[in-house]
């Protein structure tokens, strides 16, 4: 018997976005087909819409004259993106196979597949984009894990789960599209007491003062609203989420960006990330918190 009652192809949960802004974001992701995301996913079938962390394996990418270099760079960028998702999953702690995980803002579902492969449990994903949900469900079907991994079109500020039914939840680069108090109130509602919440996100650094021009450029590029580190911690504290780890991943993500900037897949936003990480105005952080 399937542990997910509804067929995995049943993707449409909400008839439309809750706000005009969410309509913009749904359109953005429905139209998104950047080669940097698709060609990296093609490497092993895990499709990510997030960035990478860890040291670049120089031996694996070869020298610039190598005719295969571009392909090797793509594989290496993809390896670093999967390493990022692994670090996020590490911070969920132990999840029993009969628990349910939640990926809020799940994209094409790469992290969900990895989570199921690691824990053997059911993983529910929410995205505003029907194209992404269909993509994720098709991919899960191809892998034969459609009974465990399901994406739905749904607003993560209004989740289709009963109170306290989720063992662990995360936002992987998806929290900059929503108000953090609304978001954490909803995670807190659906998480079981003692459950773990994890986010990996870019945030502006209060030590810098205000969002720098690079941060503003990133916001404009992705139609998002990057929050500060302070806002994350305040909104968690206000919503029964107690930080268990706050890790600055900025030094770990810079090599990824520097490698990406040399590839043919540049999107034009690389300079803003590299400059803001270097001038201290922007940070790449992981925050893991316990639902108390
Ligand atoms: N976490 C994924 C995708 C990140 S891209 C990954 O790591 O690959 C950002 C995602 O956030 C998109 O899938 C977008 O649809 C989703 N998103 C943004 N606002 C949302 C909302 N209010 N409800 C649900 N998903 C949302």
């Amino acid at each position: 018997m399937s542990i997910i009652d509804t067929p995995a192809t049943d993707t449409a949960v909400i008839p439309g976005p809750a706000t005009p802004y969410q309509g913009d974001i749904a359109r953005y992701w429905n139209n998104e087909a950047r080669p940097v995301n698709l060609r990296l996913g093609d490497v092993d079938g895990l499709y990510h819409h997030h960035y990478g962390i860890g040291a670049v394996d120089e031996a694996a990418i070869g020298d610039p004259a190598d005719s295969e270099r571009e392909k090797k760079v793509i594989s290496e960028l993809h390896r670093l993106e999967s390493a990022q998702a692994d670090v996020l999953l590490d911070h969920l702690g132990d999840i029993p196979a009969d628990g349910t995980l939640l990926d809020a803002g799940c994209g094409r579902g790469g992290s969900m597949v990895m989570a199921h492969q690691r824990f053997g449990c059911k993983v529910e994903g929410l995205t505003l984009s029907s194209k992404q949900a269909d993509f994720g469900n098709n991919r899960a079907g191809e892998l034969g894990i459609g009974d465990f991994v399901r994406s739905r079109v749904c607003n993560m500020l209004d989740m289709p789960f009963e109170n306290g039914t989720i063992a662990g939840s995360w936002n992987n680069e998806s929290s900059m599209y929503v108000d953090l108090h609304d978001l954490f109130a909803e995670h807190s509602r659906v998480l079981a007491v003692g459950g773990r919440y994890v986010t990996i996100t870019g945030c502006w650094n209060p030590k810098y003062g205000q969002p720098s021009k690079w941060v503003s450029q990133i916001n404009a590029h992705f139609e998002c609203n990057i929050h500060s580190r302070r806002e994350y911690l305040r909104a968690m504290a206000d919503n029964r989420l107690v930080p268990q780890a706050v890790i600055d991943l900025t030094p770990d993500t810079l090599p990824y960006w520097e490698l990406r900037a040399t590839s043919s897949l540049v999107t034009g936003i690389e300079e803003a990330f590299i400059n803001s990480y270097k001038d201290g105005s922007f940070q790449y952080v992981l925050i893991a918190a316990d639902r108390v």
Side-chain angles (χ1 to χ4, degrees):
M1 193 189 77
S2 157
I3 61 163
I4 290 177
D5 311 323
T6 340
T9 47
D10 177 18
T11 49
V13 165
I14 51 166
T19 58
Y21 172 76
Q22 288 189 1
D24 294 341
I25 299 308
R27 259 188 303 281
Y28 178 98
W29 290 106
N30 279 335
N31 294 330
E32 199 281 340
R34 287 197 171 114
V36 71
N37 293 315
L38 295 175
R39 285 192 56 197
L40 268 65
D42 291 341
V43 170
D44 64 0
L46 292 170
Y47 290 83
H48 301 305
H49 284 289
H50 61 244
Y51 307 122
I53 55 171
V56 170
D57 181 349
E58 297 293 343
I61 58 174
D63 70 79
D66 185 343
S67 61
E68 292 287 288
R69 181 171 162 105
E70 188 61 22
K71 229 168 95 188
K72 292 178 178 174
V73 167
I74 287 170
S75 293
E76 184 61 4
L77 290 171
H78 181 67
R79 185 183 70 80
L80 299 175
E81 291 183 2
S82 289
Q84 187 264 31
D86 262 328
V87 167
L88 187 154
L89 298 178
D90 287 345
H91 283 84
L92 286 171
D94 294 331
I95 302 294
D98 63 354
T100 299
L101 288 173
L102 160 67
D103 185 345
C106 62
R108 284 189 161 93
S111 307
M112 298 171 71
V113 171
M114 290 173 65
H116 170 71
Q117 287 170 344
R118 181 187 293 223
F119 301 111
C121 68
K122 183 171 147 183
V123 189
E124 296 271 9
L126 308 177
T127 170
L128 290 176
S129 157
S130 57
K131 203 169 140 195
Q132 287 187 329
D134 288 342
F135 188 100
N137 287 331
N138 286 336
R139 190 68 203 116
E142 283 165 10
L143 291 168
I145 56 174
D147 286 348
F148 292 92
V149 171
R150 169 172 67 172
S151 301
R152 283 186 280 180
V153 179
C154 186
N155 174 12
M156 62 186 167
L157 301 182
D158 192 8
M159 297 180 186
F161 307 111
E162 298 297 319
N163 295 359
T165 53
I166 300 294
S169 66
W170 70 86
N171 284 101
N172 197 351
E173 293 185 17
S174 55
S175 51
M176 55 292 284
Y177 296 97
V178 288
D179 176 277
L180 290 182
H181 277 84
D182 296 345
L183 178 69
F184 294 150
E186 195 58 354
H187 277 283
S188 194
R189 181 184 70 76
V190 301
L191 276 170
V193 171
R196 178 67 58 73
Y197 169 78
V198 184
T199 184
I200 295 185
T201 184
C203 59
W204 65 266
N205 190 353
K207 268 179 80 174
Y208 190 85
Q210 285 288 318
S212 66
K213 65 180 174 188
W214 305 118
V215 170
S216 299
Q217 269 184 28
I218 297 168
N219 278 335
H221 184 91
F222 293 102
E223 302 178 39
C224 66
N225 173 33
I226 292 162
H227 307 288
S228 68
R229 179 156 48 101
R230 182 184 191 181
E231 285 176 73
Y232 276 93
L233 295 172
R234 179 156 48 204
M236 283 184 185
D238 287 349
N239 286 288
R240 306 180 66 167
L241 293 170
V242 177
Q244 177 267 348
V246 181
I247 303 171
D248 183 3
L249 296 173
T250 312
D252 301 307
T253 196
L254 256 170
Y256 166 91
W257 282 98
E258 283 166 340
L259 178 63
R260 182 173 149 141
T262 69
S263 89
S264 68
L265 301 177
V266 286
T267 59
I269 199 62
E270 288 76 11
E271 186 195 21
F273 276 86
I274 292 169
N275 288 342
S276 60
Y277 283 144
K278 285 191 169 163
D279 73 13
S281 62
F282 191 45
Q283 292 179 294
Y284 198 50
V285 296
L286 177 149
I287 308 174
D290 289 320
R291 163 66 163 93
V292 299

